[in-house]
Amino acid sequence: MFWYRNLIKLSTPIKSKTPITKNLLQASLSNFSTANQPPASAQAQPSGLGPTKPHDKPRVVVLGSGWAGCRLMKGLDPKLYDIVCVSPRNHMVFTPLLASTCVGTLEFRSVAEPIARIQPSISSAPGSYFFLANSTAVDTENHEVHCETVTDGTDTLDPWKFKISYDKLVIASGAQASTFGIHGVKEHAIFLREVHHAQEIRRKLLLNLMLSDVPGLPEEEKRRLLHCVVVGGGPTGVEFSGELSDFIRRDVHERYTHVKDYIHVTLIEANEILSSFDDRLRRYAIKHLTKSGVRLVRGIVKDVKPENLVLTDGSEVPYGLLVWSTGVGPSPFVNSLGLPKSPGGRIGVDEWLRVPTVQDVFSIGDCSGFLESTGKPVLPALAQVAERQGKYLAKLLNKICKDGGGHANGAKDMNLGDPFEYKHLGSMATVGRFKALVDLRQSKEAKGISLAGFVSWFIWRSAYLTRVVSWRNRFYVAINWLTTFVFGRDISRI
Amino acid sequence: MFWYRNLIKLSTPIKSKTPITKNLLQASLSNFSTANQPPASAQAQPSGLGPTKPHDKPRVVVLGSGWAGCRLMKGLDPKLYDIVCVSPRNHMVFTPLLASTCVGTLEFRSVAEPIARIQPSISSAPGSYFFLANSTAVDTENHEVHCETVTDGTDTLDPWKFKISYDKLVIASGAQASTFGIHGVKEHAIFLREVHHAQEIRRKLLLNLMLSDVPGLPEEEKRRLLHCVVVGGGPTGVEFSGELSDFIRRDVHERYTHVKDYIHVTLIEANEILSSFDDRLRRYAIKHLTKSGVRLVRGIVKDVKPENLVLTDGSEVPYGLLVWSTGVGPSPFVNSLGLPKSPGGRIGVDEWLRVPTVQDVFSIGDCSGFLESTGKPVLPALAQVAERQGKYLAKLLNKICKDGGGHANGAKDMNLGDPFEYKHLGSMATVGRFKALVDLRQSKEAKGISLAGFVSWFIWRSAYLTRVVSWRNRFYVAINWLTTFVFGRDISRI
């Protein structure tokens, strides 16, 4: 660190106007040179956080920062545990509002909550950490997780490998978008699961709007550029189609008048849209979407090419923007783990959300499912389920530690109390401006309240506004909605 | 367009649950296939907007969307002219506040103003357009500009070439950051001129903060990752250094407590910092920056490597983030134009901002300078100069059109009235939290008011708040400042 201490010495105010003594600077800095050495990361062996000692706080390692992991970390008591989170992103995405950010109704930052705000101890407590990294393997024998830093296009850095010993491990790394093995989906379609997906959609939509205005472009090419195709008629696909058609009617018609007649939205679904909702609500959604200009097409995609997609009946649909939202499946990381699996290939857990074959490993959220032996169905991949599981597990882990079982192998024969029970609170989806669906039935077969229209839209907005995690983001979401209402959506392409 | 009309037919509500007739869909879509054809753009010849007819509105073509171009478009009367803007970005950047966005004090969108909001006719009037494109050449003989669309990483699109005929052409395409031919600057340093630069700086800063927290990383590598080096001590470099040190003292110390002692800022300048300001203000800035932890180093950079830079005296300075703000020079586009040049290689203009050797071509902003023959000095590359020139030229062009000289070659011997006169209103720069410099002298030698401290900081904020172009952005800048004050800066890395 010689170079550094001497650099500080040189930093006295330069008002004296004496030139910096070159020899001093040279002498002090010359023995620091990373350029001709191998990078520091290549010299050292993988290192990390070793096992905790019996008188230390036990360590909970959380893999992932989605609904499940973040709700868990929020509920864990930092006085009982050191909390270590490993995730490739340092924020939680408020997924139900993500579709609104693609067209500028909401700002990207309003739907992203930094983990340090959800669990402040992670950035300040001495033994708690957030690591921007991917977990590559779990060694359940030695109670260790293997990780690798995310370097994200920084070409001068090699990923740094390290290991973390855990007392309790919670795998909440989520699922990944399903492509059903269809060729070209990964290359040409955009998913809608992360903030960078929404950013990509927004940039591409605005690019296509501007490119289609260029003089001399053939009519067909204009229509292709401005044909937005959404594949998948679940809540995400329907909400995105609704936002898009509202954007077209409110903003494109005013700000892109030259091309307004060329832009169209098509929603392709193999079965029924919003299949988890009440029939009456589904008919309402279909009517409303059709009225606002969204074309609903029933079809199955066979192949995706750079400028068009092919349906199973051979017909080709040209597109300028293709958004893919057909549900999720297990990630390669989950597939690679030597743990028991639930139906559907998720990590199998028992009624207490434990992986029963090994000690101290739990799994929650979209990556986990009840084992067949529990006799319970695998729960749907919903924010609601993940959030409830995170809350339950935080309470359970706090109890385990209070009962003296916080350290590795310390809870072997402990009575864990009540198992996890899931009660569905209902589903919500918006279908465009001032219109939404609220289905408060506990299951598809049950009876209960279902609403459609302005009142539901109001419930939808209020529900989300009170759930956005921090006061800062609640405030920003409200401000974003207000400015969109007053000034229209933001169309700068940055 | 068969595929398209038929797709509409299919979009009747699917509540009837009858499957879509496959043959119909196939028949209707099969004759549209872009996959096996060359892209439409490759088939057609370059086309564009032809010359205006004598009874049409004349057309002003503006190249660029910076301070000069945008102020001009704002002032042009859309009843007199059709306005066509060609620029690779569809918004104006409020550059004086750009440094604040790098650390999350302000949001990116708060400093970007869509051109359609500055001059609404550009997106709605029948003959006015905004084209997301670069201009590649100017044919002054035929009154034509050659353009090429920006496709920006969209691998399936070839750039589309087109020509635009102009009655009046205003070149306001700006300058580009100077590297002084130093090796490695373009590859490893980040400039601070566009919103995407600020985004890159923010992402890299947060990445380095998180990477340096990883267990087992050597001390030297930690210090390197968290060493932020700014080259260039003009207002941009000083403001960015001030913002960065404030971010470190306010936010890093609270949210990244594990690494807070490793992060440092060094500002390297070959001569004096803030050389255009009063001596007293400069001393104040030096004192304040040093107090808040910025190291000021006098030195000249010789070479930039991926992880360190080399000064002319041979000393090496390791860095994790390198920001380059050493001023601007002519862009390759300006160099390629066969027009007379001012000292310094800018497009040479006369007292009325005309290029005197050709008809109907004007140039304003950082890309233009007074010809030596005018006896006037080349004005500095400041937002203030560009804005004043845009305002003047808008008035002049409106007058020309009212006097009947709007069409090509129509203003040959016209009396243009008063020439452009520049009066310097003073300079402002912030040097961190609650501290700024305001120098209201008209030139370096003149006498006048100069202020430093809280009052100037208040003037600085008020001045910018009233200048941010639209009410929407004024509102957002105020809201951003308020939330930063209340909640701290946003640290989610999206």
Side-chain angles (χ1 to χ4, degrees):
Chain A
M1 230 65 54
F2 290 115
W3 67 272
Y4 188 71
R5 271 200 298 275
N6 281 289
L7 209 60
I8 297 176
K9 278 187 199 156
L10 294 173
S11 71
T12 48
I14 53 173
K15 62 185 167 191
S16 64
K17 292 191 182 174
T18 49
I20 286 164
T21 317
K22 285 187 181 180
N23 291 338
L24 172 67
L25 192 63
Q26 192 156 22
S28 64
L29 298 187
S30 58
N31 53 355
F32 190 106
S33 164
T34 55
N36 304 320
Q37 287 171 224
S41 57
Q43 296 172 311
Q45 288 298 310
S47 52
L49 295 178
T52 57
K53 306 212 170 66
H55 54 274
D56 288 347
K57 274 195 269 186
R59 182 187 299 139
V60 179
V61 175
V62 182
L63 309 184
S65 57
W67 280 91
C70 285
R71 186 62 188 82
L72 170 82
M73 287 189 275
K74 191 182 176 184
L76 281 179
D77 186 346
K79 285 186 208 116
L80 298 174
Y81 286 107
D82 282 338
I83 305 164
V84 174
C85 177
V86 179
S87 172
R89 59 164 201 233
N90 81 338
H91 56 274
M92 187 192 124
V93 182
F94 196 83
T95 40
L97 293 181
L98 196 57
S100 298
T101 65
C102 301
V103 292
T105 313
L106 288 179
E107 266 322 306
F108 300 118
R109 267 159 214 287
S110 307
V111 304
E113 191 70 61
I115 294 166
R117 206 173 270 134
I118 293 171
Q119 176 50 273
S121 80
I122 214 149
S123 62
S124 54
S128 292
Y129 293 95
F130 171 78
F131 297 134
L132 193 79
N134 286 308
S135 33
T136 51
V138 176
D139 178 351
T140 52
E141 290 263 316
N142 297 305
H143 275 59
E144 271 183 347
V145 187
H146 297 220
C147 307
E148 201 176 275
T149 55
V150 172
T151 50
D152 184 31
T154 311
D155 48 359
T156 62
L157 289 172
D158 291 321
W160 175 260
K161 288 179 184 172
F162 59 98
K163 293 178 187 175
I164 310 168
S165 297
Y166 60 82
D167 291 300
K168 308 291 170 204
L169 175 67
V170 182
I171 305 174
S173 55
Q176 72 171 22
S178 310
T179 63
F180 304 106
I182 298 166
H183 176 258
V185 176
K186 271 193 190 148
E187 293 77 12
H188 308 301
I190 309 177
F191 302 112
L192 188 45
R193 296 175 51 76
E194 301 282 349
V195 172
H196 68 87
H197 294 144
Q199 287 172 323
E200 198 183 340
I201 291 171
R202 181 145 156 187
R203 283 182 68 80
K204 191 149 190 189
L205 182 63
L206 292 174
L207 179 69
N208 288 352
L209 271 166
M210 288 185 280
L211 285 183
S212 61
D213 204 4
V214 162
L217 208 65
E219 291 279 301
E220 295 232 337
E221 180 67 0
K222 261 191 198 188
R223 285 203 190 271
R224 182 190 71 77
L225 278 173
L226 294 180
H227 190 209
C228 307
V229 176
V230 182
V231 179
T236 305
V238 167
E239 292 200 347
F240 176 67
S241 307
E243 279 282 351
L244 204 53
S245 71
D246 187 41
F247 170 68
I248 293 168
R249 287 194 300 167
R250 284 248 303 166
D251 299 82
V252 173
H253 278 226
E254 190 185 320
R255 314 250 189 93
Y256 295 93
T257 36
H258 305 119
V259 295
K260 66 180 160 53
D261 297 328
Y262 294 90
I263 187 163
H264 289 100
V265 183
T266 300
L267 176 60
I268 300 178
E269 164 63 47
N271 298 303
E272 292 179 6
I273 69 161
L274 296 176
S275 56
S276 68
F277 282 76
D278 178 296
D279 271 359
R280 199 174 61 82
L281 295 186
R282 288 186 43 247
R283 280 198 299 275
Y284 180 87
I286 290 167
K287 195 181 126 196
H288 190 79
L289 286 172
T290 311
K291 211 176 105 189
S292 60
V294 177
R295 265 108 226 163
L296 301 171
V297 171
R298 194 172 293 187
I300 298 170
V301 178
K302 192 174 73 176
D303 190 15
V304 177
K305 296 177 186 172
E307 302 192 339
N308 59 12
L309 56 84
V310 186
L311 299 182
T312 43
D313 61 8
S315 53
E316 300 202 355
V317 182
Y319 67 83
L321 173 73
L322 177 61
V323 174
W324 196 267
S325 63
T326 56
V328 295
S331 67
F333 171 67
V334 166
N335 286 335
S336 76
L337 295 173
L339 298 175
K341 297 284 155 71
S342 76
R346 301 186 188 188
I347 299 170
V349 293
D350 65 11
E351 293 92 331
W352 294 272
L353 310 178
R354 282 183 304 190
V355 178
T357 53
V358 291
Q359 279 298 309
D360 300 320
V361 179
F362 302 80
S363 184
I364 52 179
D366 295 358
C367 66
S368 80
F370 284 124
L371 284 163
E372 238 171 344
S373 57
T374 62
K376 294 187 174 190
V378 170
L379 296 170
L382 292 175
Q384 207 178 140
V385 174
E387 200 256 347
R388 226 73 62 73
Q389 290 182 330
K391 191 177 171 185
Y392 168 85
L393 190 57
K395 227 169 143 183
L396 181 64
L397 288 175
N398 288 341
K399 175 182 141 52
I400 288 174
C401 192
K402 278 182 199 151
D403 293 352
H407 281 92
N409 299 312
K412 265 183 185 164
D413 305 306
M414 195 173 270
N415 173 19
L416 297 182
D418 294 334
F420 174 73
E421 293 281 353
Y422 177 67
K423 255 196 180 173
H424 189 64
L425 284 185
S427 314
M428 295 194 292
T430 171
V431 289
R433 197 168 166 66
F434 301 139
K435 299 277 184 287
L437 315 176
V438 173
D439 190 341
L440 297 177
R441 300 170 310 148
Q442 285 191 15
S443 72
K444 233 194 142 169
E445 292 69 38
K447 292 200 169 176
I449 303 165
S450 63
L451 292 169
F454 181 78
V455 174
S456 341
W457 178 83
F458 191 79
I459 294 177
W460 178 83
R461 286 235 159 158
S462 317
Y464 282 138
L465 205 48
T466 53
R467 275 195 196 189
V468 171
V469 185
S470 71
W471 279 104
R472 183 190 173 283
N473 277 4
R474 278 178 213 190
F475 176 69
Y476 263 103
V477 167
I479 290 284
N480 288 163
W481 276 338
L482 177 73
T483 43
T484 297
F485 186 77
V486 176
F487 302 106
R489 292 178 174 88
D490 179 57
I491 53 160
S492 46
R493 182 171 180 274
I494 59 174
Chain B
M1 229 64 54
F2 291 115
W3 66 272
Y4 187 71
R5 270 199 299 273
N6 281 292
L7 209 57
I8 297 176
K9 278 186 202 158
L10 294 173
S11 71
T12 47
I14 55 175
K15 63 187 164 189
S16 63
K17 292 191 181 174
T18 49
I20 286 162
T21 317
K22 284 188 180 179
N23 291 338
L24 173 65
L25 193 65
Q26 191 157 24
S28 64
L29 298 186
S30 60
N31 53 357
F32 189 105
S33 163
T34 56
N36 304 321
Q37 289 172 226
S41 57
Q43 296 172 311
Q45 287 299 309
S47 53
L49 295 178
T52 56
K53 305 215 170 65
H55 54 274
D56 288 347
K57 272 195 270 187
R59 182 186 300 139
V60 178
V61 175
V62 182
L63 308 185
S65 58
W67 280 92
C70 285
R71 186 63 189 79
L72 169 84
M73 287 189 275
K74 190 182 178 184
L76 281 179
D77 186 346
K79 285 187 209 114
L80 297 174
Y81 287 107
D82 281 337
I83 305 165
V84 173
C85 177
V86 179
S87 171
R89 59 163 201 235
N90 82 337
H91 55 274
M92 186 191 124
V93 182
F94 197 82
T95 41
L97 292 181
L98 195 57
S100 298
T101 64
C102 300
V103 293
T105 313
L106 289 180
E107 267 322 305
F108 300 118
R109 270 163 212 285
S110 306
V111 304
E113 190 72 59
I115 294 167
R117 206 173 270 133
I118 294 171
Q119 176 51 271
S121 78
I122 213 146
S123 62
S124 53
S128 292
Y129 293 96
F130 171 78
F131 297 133
L132 193 78
N134 285 308
S135 33
T136 51
V138 176
D139 179 352
T140 52
E141 289 263 317
N142 297 307
H143 275 59
E144 270 183 348
V145 188
H146 298 220
C147 306
E148 200 176 275
T149 54
V150 172
T151 50
D152 185 32
T154 312
D155 49 358
T156 59
L157 289 171
D158 293 320
W160 175 260
K161 289 179 184 175
F162 59 97
K163 292 178 188 176
I164 310 168
S165 297
Y166 59 83
D167 290 300
K168 308 290 169 203
L169 175 68
V170 182
I171 305 174
S173 55
Q176 72 170 22
S178 309
T179 63
F180 305 106
I182 298 166
H183 175 258
V185 176
K186 272 194 191 147
E187 292 77 12
H188 308 301
I190 309 176
F191 302 112
L192 187 45
R193 296 174 52 76
E194 301 282 350
V195 172
H196 69 86
H197 294 144
Q199 287 172 324
E200 197 183 342
I201 291 171
R202 183 148 155 185
R203 283 183 68 81
K204 190 149 191 190
L205 183 63
L206 292 174
L207 179 69
N208 288 352
L209 272 166
M210 288 185 281
L211 284 182
S212 61
D213 206 4
V214 162
L217 208 65
E219 291 279 300
E220 296 231 335
E221 181 66 2
K222 262 191 193 187
R223 286 203 190 274
R224 181 190 72 76
L225 278 173
L226 294 181
H227 191 208
C228 307
V229 176
V230 182
V231 178
T236 306
V238 167
E239 291 199 347
F240 176 67
S241 307
E243 279 282 353
L244 203 53
S245 71
D246 188 40
F247 170 68
I248 292 168
R249 288 194 300 167
R250 284 246 304 167
D251 300 81
V252 174
H253 277 227
E254 191 186 319
R255 313 246 191 97
Y256 295 93
T257 38
H258 304 119
V259 296
K260 66 179 162 50
D261 298 328
Y262 294 89
I263 187 163
H264 290 99
V265 183
T266 300
L267 175 60
I268 299 179
E269 164 63 48
N271 297 302
E272 293 178 6
I273 68 160
L274 296 176
S275 56
S276 69
F277 282 77
D278 178 297
D279 269 359
R280 199 176 61 82
L281 294 185
R282 287 187 42 246
R283 279 198 300 274
Y284 179 87
I286 289 169
K287 195 181 126 195
H288 189 80
L289 286 172
T290 310
K291 210 176 105 189
S292 60
V294 177
R295 264 107 226 164
L296 302 170
V297 170
R298 193 172 295 185
I300 299 169
V301 177
K302 192 173 72 177
D303 191 14
V304 177
K305 296 176 186 173
E307 301 192 340
N308 59 10
L309 55 83
V310 185
L311 301 182
T312 43
D313 61 8
S315 53
E316 300 202 354
V317 183
Y319 67 82
L321 173 73
L322 178 60
V323 174
W324 197 266
S325 64
T326 57
V328 294
S331 67
F333 171 67
V334 166
N335 286 335
S336 76
L337 295 173
L339 298 174
K341 296 284 155 71
S342 77
R346 303 187 188 185
I347 299 170
V349 293
D350 65 12
E351 293 92 330
W352 293 271
L353 309 178
R354 284 182 304 190
V355 178
T357 53
V358 290
Q359 278 299 309
D360 299 319
V361 179
F362 301 79
S363 183
I364 53 178
D366 294 358
C367 67
S368 79
F370 284 124
L371 284 163
E372 237 172 346
S373 58
T374 61
K376 292 187 174 191
V378 172
L379 295 171
L382 293 174
Q384 204 177 142
V385 175
E387 199 256 346
R388 226 74 62 71
Q389 290 183 331
K391 191 176 171 185
Y392 168 85
L393 189 57
K395 226 168 144 182
L396 181 64
L397 288 176
N398 288 342
K399 175 183 140 52
I400 288 173
C401 192
K402 278 181 200 153
D403 293 353
H407 280 91
N409 299 311
K412 263 182 185 165
D413 304 306
M414 194 173 271
N415 173 20
L416 297 183
D418 294 334
F420 174 73
E421 292 281 353
Y422 176 68
K423 254 196 181 176
H424 189 63
L425 284 186
S427 315
M428 293 195 292
T430 170
V431 289
R433 197 167 165 67
F434 301 142
K435 298 277 184 288
L437 314 175
V438 174
D439 190 341
L440 298 177
R441 300 169 311 149
Q442 286 193 13
S443 73
K444 231 197 140 166
E445 293 69 38
K447 291 198 172 180
I449 302 164
S450 63
L451 292 170
F454 180 78
V455 174
S456 341
W457 177 84
F458 191 80
I459 294 177
W460 178 83
R461 285 236 159 155
S462 319
Y464 282 138
L465 204 49
T466 52
R467 276 195 195 188
V468 171
V469 184
S470 71
W471 278 104
R472 183 190 174 282
N473 278 3
R474 276 178 214 191
F475 177 69
Y476 262 103
V477 167
I479 290 283
N480 287 164
W481 276 338
L482 178 73
T483 44
T484 298
F485 186 78
V486 176
F487 301 105
R489 294 179 172 87
D490 179 57
I491 54 160
S492 47
R493 182 171 179 275
I494 58 175

